[in-house]
Amino acid sequence: MSLSAASTVLALAISVISLATSAVVSARQLRLANNSNVLPIVVELFRETRQPEFSHAIEYISLDLAREHSPDSGYRRLPEEPLRHVRLVSLFYDDVGKLVAHGVVDERLIIGSYGPNIVNMWEVLAPYFYRERELTTKAMVYFEDLAHRARARPQARVHSELGLEISPPLQPSDSD
């Protein structure tokens, strides 16, 4: 191989390496920029679920809603207080479902954090939403999709995929 051909091949190799490095750096910068845009959304989601009203609504839906109110009239015709609880929880999960479905927030973050609760809330509320769909309009489709995703990809699997470790408490004999 002549010196000219060797220098051409070397220049080409350097160009390819530079292009690949630029692509990797650009992809990383794009991911970091996206994460910084999503961070306030995620923080607000976590803040919302820590509010006493949200916990109270979850508790009411889990324990009392089906016992006190039939889904026969859908959810929009529930009395004011039960409706407030249902709307607080269902609209939250519907909005989170929108973020997941559109790829704004990684579903592993949501399912890893809320998976069983999403499924439980959907199971209680689905009869109300399906009846509402018969009576008026298609309601809570993103919540339903999110529940389907959480059912198909259980929280324990997400934790395993992420490599989350456990650290049980030490037993008195373990510290000796």
Side-chain angles (χ1 to χ4, degrees):
M1 179 183 286
S2 71
L3 184 58
S4 171
S7 64
T8 300
V9 168
L10 181 60
L12 181 61
I14 290 171
S15 295
V16 168
I17 291 170
S18 297
L19 180 62
T21 302
S22 293
V24 168
V25 168
S26 294
R28 183 164 188 243
Q29 287 176 330
L30 183 60
R31 189 173 55 250
L32 289 172
N34 185 46
N35 287 346
S36 68
N37 291 336
V38 170
L39 185 60
I41 296 169
V42 171
V43 168
E44 186 58 35
L45 293 176
F46 291 155
R47 183 177 295 129
E48 176 74 19
T49 59
R50 286 176 172 78
Q51 297 302 312
E53 298 83 17
F54 192 85
S55 297
H56 182 66
I58 293 284
E59 184 178 323
Y60 175 80
I61 292 167
S62 297
L63 302 176
D64 299 324
L65 178 64
R67 184 174 46 79
E68 293 178 3
H69 303 283
S70 166
D72 292 344
S73 297
Y75 80 93
R76 292 182 181 162
R77 289 159 203 80
L78 288 168
E80 185 178 334
E81 186 176 349
L83 178 60
R84 189 168 29 86
H85 294 313
V86 169
R87 289 179 60 82
L88 180 64
V89 171
S90 63
L91 291 173
F92 172 80
Y93 284 131
D94 200 55
D95 288 345
V96 171
K98 290 170 190 165
L99 296 173
V100 169
H102 292 282
V104 175
V105 176
D106 186 340
E107 82 174 39
R108 294 176 306 167
L109 175 63
I110 301 305
I111 294 171
S113 301
Y114 305 119
N117 207 32
I118 293 166
V119 172
N120 291 339
M121 289 295 96
W122 178 257
E123 288 174 358
V124 172
L125 294 170
Y128 297 86
F129 300 144
Y130 270 76
R131 181 63 178 139
E132 190 67 42
R133 290 173 184 179
E134 292 171 3
L135 297 170
T136 59
T137 61
K138 194 160 183 169
M140 305 300 166
V141 294
Y142 288 99
F143 183 5
E144 183 172 18
D145 178 72
L146 186 62
H148 175 78
R149 290 171 189 250
R151 208 181 269 133
R153 192 177 193 182
Q155 187 180 54
R157 185 183 326 154
V158 171
H159 291 172
S160 177
E161 290 169 1
L162 293 171
L164 297 184
E165 300 292 337
I166 62 169
S167 184
L170 292 175
Q171 301 299 316
S173 62
D174 293 341
S175 61
D176 294 335

